[in-house]
Amino acid sequence: MRQSLQLVLTLAFSWILVSCQTSPVGPVPESAAKPLPRQAAAPRLTLDTPIPTGVPAAGTPELTEDIVFNLLAGEVAAQRGALDEAYAHQFQAALLSGDATAAERATRLALHLNKGELAVKAAGLWVELAPEDLTARQLLVVLMLRQDENAPVLDHLKTIVRISEGKDENGFLNVMAAINRELKRESAMGLMRRLVLEFPGDPRGGYAMAIAALVDKDYTAAEQEADRLVAAHPDWPKGYLVLSRVYLSQDDKPKARGLLADAVRRFPADPFLLSAYARLLVDAKELQPAYEQFLRLEEIESEGGDASYWLGLIALELGEDEAARGHFLRLLDLDKQTDVAAYYLGRIAEKREQSRQAVQWYQRVDGGEYLAEAQVRSVRLMAAMGETREAFDWLQRMRIQYPDQAARYYLIEVELLREHGTPAQVMALFDTAIGALPESNELLYARGLYAATQKRVDILERDLLRVIANDPKHADALNALGYTLADQTARHQEALDYIQRALALKPDSAAILDSMGWVLFRLGRNQEAIGYLRQAYDKLPDAEIAAHLGEVLWVTGEQQQAREIWQGILDKTPQSEHVLEVMRRLEI
């Protein structure tokens, strides 16, 4: 029967397309209606037309003229925008045929009409015709709750749990997702508690309630639900896991760690507990204990690669390169996180001065967050081995193979040429790249920054103004232009305007705060400058910001503070050019 109805619906759509082409508006021509099988002229159905209730008795009827007529008439009405009539015909077709698809169509038409009672009626029929359809059940519950939050939905919720279990899903989470959108939090939790009582031996209900409270950031309720869950089901590992998440959400890492440590002792083979506990140890910088926990997890995981990934990273931090290599090779064997594994295998080979192997590993990285760095390292190694021409040829092949990433490959080539070419060659390459990709903000911005290093403020200004014209909210271009004008020209007031615009877009940027301090210093507003430079240095205590802050402090008489700031940088980086240059210039 279902296949026959589907065929009718398919034919209906074809017939509608033909009829719409010949008569886009108005009634269907009599000639178009004649081929439809009907026993008698059927009345025009509307939302006010009484419709019989109930589903056909056992033994679904064969495809009849009335069923065909209602299906086609419903589709024609929907095409014309007469949705009330379309609903009535689809509902009638569902009643006559016992077809759930027609009931679903009627439900969605009622939803579109915003007719809640009719939607409940159609969804109820849909559920009767397809009692195992999870979507139908969930939608019926939602519609009933929209009509009345005290609607008798508990039996439907119990059925959702049962159907979900057959799909290997947590039905309580499906229930919570359905009712949480329609009820106030207290009502939703009350209804969930009634449902949980229907399944006293199932801990997943309490788990769903704890998760829901956690998502709502009601940490007090989440902790209460999780405590209740652990007390009622002390042998269920996930209870401890959700309770630890509650602690972590409240930034109580010691409590979470203590709970997970006890749970891991109780459930030494539970992978979720092991992973959560090991990650907390990593966060606490206790790498050796974390490594041991991930080793246990790796033994349990037969196909997963999460443990091997973490083991490789931790082994690198511990200086155990050979062990790290083994873990990353295992990731490749498992076909898990292969780009990450190849990248780190390249790093290990590079550290061992096995340049050829490193290049081979780096060139196996074809996606992910390490792609750009792997490619840069690859071409640098090739150039260091005397294969500069091969490196450039490889980059050219990549541009041809991946034209949508051409700008990135040009920038890698620029970096290589900066190390192995002349400034004139670098600028020539930039000209070629921008000639090929004239609207690339990335290339224009990069050429502008490089021009600043060559004291070509004219090129910088030209390129960055083009970037800003393309993207007025490009804070980095505004900042770079403003800083360079402040640092290399006397156009300080103009520079201030650009930096103010950049700071409005990125008020927490240490680089832009540094630029603001520097331009204010150039304008003679030293105390204001110190305020901005201190903010920048607190956020990012790097050498360039330290050089600026120290210089302003020095010229305002705070020379001891300036020395302390500079010395702090030199203790870490004795050859810091930024700090040494300003000290030479001030004859310190």
Side-chain angles (χ1 to χ4, degrees):
M1 178 62 196
R2 181 178 298 277
Q3 292 176 345
S4 300
L5 287 177
Q6 292 300 325
L7 177 61
V8 169
L9 288 173
T10 301
L11 293 172
F13 281 120
S14 301
W15 179 80
I16 289 165
L17 288 174
V18 173
S19 65
C20 286
Q21 290 170 359
T22 57
S23 177
V25 293
V28 179
E30 187 65 26
S31 60
K34 283 181 180 178
L36 297 179
R38 294 173 53 188
Q39 294 175 340
R44 178 183 176 86
L45 293 177
T46 70
L47 291 180
D48 299 322
T49 305
I51 297 177
T53 58
V55 184
T60 305
E62 294 298 323
L63 193 61
T64 66
E65 293 179 348
D66 280 345
I67 293 172
V68 171
F69 171 75
N70 279 287
L71 287 170
L72 294 177
E75 295 297 340
V76 171
Q79 288 288 324
R80 291 177 173 174
L83 300 187
D84 55 347
E85 186 178 348
Y87 168 86
H89 280 297
Q90 289 289 356
F91 192 90
Q92 181 76 354
L95 282 173
L96 293 172
S97 66
D99 182 63
T101 301
E104 179 183 356
R105 288 173 180 270
T107 303
R108 301 197 184 282
L109 283 166
L111 282 170
H112 192 73
L113 287 163
N114 199 25
K115 301 284 187 179
E117 292 183 7
L118 293 176
V120 169
K121 184 177 179 181
L125 178 58
W126 182 9
V127 166
E128 288 183 59
L129 296 173
E132 298 300 306
D133 190 318
L134 186 60
T135 301
R137 289 275 177 186
Q138 288 177 303
L139 184 56
L140 177 59
V141 166
V142 168
L143 292 169
M144 292 175 75
L145 291 174
R146 285 181 184 176
Q147 295 298 106
D148 176 13
E149 72 173 33
N150 296 313
V153 299
L154 189 60
D155 286 341
H156 290 297
L157 299 183
K158 289 161 62 177
T159 304
I160 288 173
V161 172
R162 179 183 58 76
I163 295 172
S164 299
E165 188 172 316
K167 297 176 177 289
D168 198 26
E169 298 176 5
N170 185 335
F172 295 95
L173 288 176
N174 288 337
V175 166
M176 182 58 82
I179 69 175
N180 213 32
R181 294 175 304 195
E182 305 302 325
L183 297 178
K184 295 178 180 177
R185 178 143 168 55
E186 297 78 10
S187 300
M189 295 299 274
L191 184 55
M192 276 296 297
R193 201 171 303 287
R194 288 172 56 198
L195 178 64
V196 169
L197 291 175
E198 298 287 330
F199 299 87
D202 194 332
R204 295 175 302 167
Y207 178 81
M209 295 178 70
I211 289 292
L214 195 57
V215 169
D216 287 344
K217 297 184 179 179
D218 187 347
Y219 300 128
T220 300
E223 188 169 347
Q224 290 172 349
E225 296 295 345
D227 281 335
R228 189 180 292 117
L229 172 63
V230 169
H233 303 280
D235 295 325
W236 197 57
K238 280 191 177 180
Y240 301 92
L241 194 63
V242 72
L243 184 55
S244 73
R245 290 178 182 171
V246 174
Y247 293 151
L248 288 173
S249 297
Q250 300 175 84
D251 204 28
D252 193 343
K253 293 179 181 179
K255 201 168 184 178
R257 177 180 167 178
L259 174 72
L260 288 173
D262 289 339
V264 165
R265 282 191 288 270
R266 292 192 62 188
F267 308 98
D270 186 272
F272 299 106
L273 287 174
L274 280 171
S275 179
Y277 181 47
R279 287 168 189 257
L280 267 183
L281 292 172
V282 170
D283 184 67
K285 303 292 190 290
E286 297 187 32
L287 298 184
Q288 190 60 47
Y291 187 80
E292 292 167 5
Q293 295 299 324
F294 277 122
L295 276 177
R296 293 169 60 188
L297 181 60
E298 189 179 51
E299 292 176 4
I300 295 170
E301 287 184 332
S302 57
E303 298 297 329
D306 189 60
S308 297
Y309 165 76
W310 282 101
L311 285 167
L313 294 182
I314 295 170
L316 284 179
E317 284 290 319
L318 294 172
E320 301 290 341
D321 291 356
E322 188 57 33
R325 186 173 182 276
H327 296 304
F328 290 125
L329 286 172
R330 183 172 188 270
L331 276 179
L332 292 178
D333 289 341
L334 293 170
D335 197 25
K336 303 287 186 180
Q337 302 193 63
T338 54
D339 291 321
V340 174
Y343 170 76
Y344 280 111
L345 287 166
R347 291 292 299 270
I348 293 168
E350 185 177 354
K351 184 178 177 182
R352 293 176 172 181
E353 299 183 353
Q354 299 169 338
S355 299
R356 178 67 57 202
Q357 290 184 27
V359 168
Q360 291 170 351
W361 285 122
Y362 287 143
Q363 293 190 352
R364 286 184 60 173
V365 180
D366 60 6
E369 62 179 309
Y370 296 113
L371 175 61
E373 187 176 352
Q375 292 176 334
V376 169
R377 286 180 175 274
S378 174
V379 295
R380 282 179 174 169
L381 285 173
M382 292 169 71
M385 291 187 293
E387 300 173 0
T388 306
R389 185 68 266 160
E390 289 83 349
F392 285 126
D393 289 345
W394 182 80
L395 287 168
Q396 185 176 12
R397 288 197 302 273
M398 291 297 101
R399 285 201 302 273
I400 295 170
Q401 187 174 352
Y402 303 105
D404 57 325
Q405 299 180 44
R408 184 163 61 81
Y409 287 112
Y410 272 123
L411 290 174
I412 295 174
E413 190 170 349
V414 163
E415 287 301 307
L416 185 62
L417 201 55
R418 288 181 70 168
E419 296 179 14
H420 299 275
T422 66
Q425 290 174 320
V426 173
M427 289 303 293
L429 177 58
F430 266 127
D431 291 343
T432 299
I434 293 172
L437 301 167
E439 297 305 315
S440 171
N441 278 355
E442 193 176 11
L443 288 170
L444 287 166
Y445 178 71
R447 184 171 68 177
L449 294 188
Y450 182 73
T453 68
Q454 304 302 306
K455 307 299 182 183
R456 291 297 306 272
V457 178
D458 57 327
I459 296 176
L460 169 128
E461 187 171 8
R462 181 192 65 197
D463 286 348
L464 295 191
L465 285 175
R466 282 179 63 186
V467 172
I468 294 165
N470 293 338
D471 179 7
K473 294 186 178 181
H474 199 302
D476 294 332
L478 288 164
N479 178 56
L481 179 55
Y483 175 79
T484 305
L485 292 177
D487 192 55
Q488 298 187 27
T489 77
R491 297 158 60 186
H492 300 151
Q493 191 61 46
E494 189 178 348
L496 177 63
D497 177 64
Y498 287 123
I499 296 169
Q500 285 175 329
R501 289 166 61 185
L503 193 60
L505 293 166
K506 288 186 176 181
D508 295 323
S509 167
I512 300 176
L513 288 166
D514 174 61
S515 296
M516 179 62 79
W518 193 241
V519 72
L520 290 171
F521 171 60
R522 293 294 216 182
L523 287 164
R525 296 158 60 177
N526 294 345
Q527 292 306 315
E528 292 177 79
I530 290 173
Y532 281 104
L533 291 169
R534 285 195 187 279
Q535 289 184 61
Y537 191 68
D538 288 342
K539 292 179 179 293
L540 181 64
D542 74 357
E544 186 171 7
I545 298 174
H548 290 159
L549 177 56
E551 181 168 351
V552 181
L553 288 170
W554 185 272
V555 300
T556 55
E558 300 291 341
Q559 297 177 352
Q560 183 57 37
Q561 286 190 47
R563 287 183 184 275
E564 291 173 0
I565 289 170
W566 290 331
Q567 193 59 49
I569 296 296
L570 294 175
D571 287 343
K572 298 175 184 176
T573 313
Q575 301 304 316
S576 172
E577 186 56 34
H578 289 291
V579 172
L580 294 176
E581 188 276 331
V582 72
M583 292 177 73
R584 284 193 297 267
R585 184 159 42 81
L586 295 174
E587 299 181 352
I588 301 170

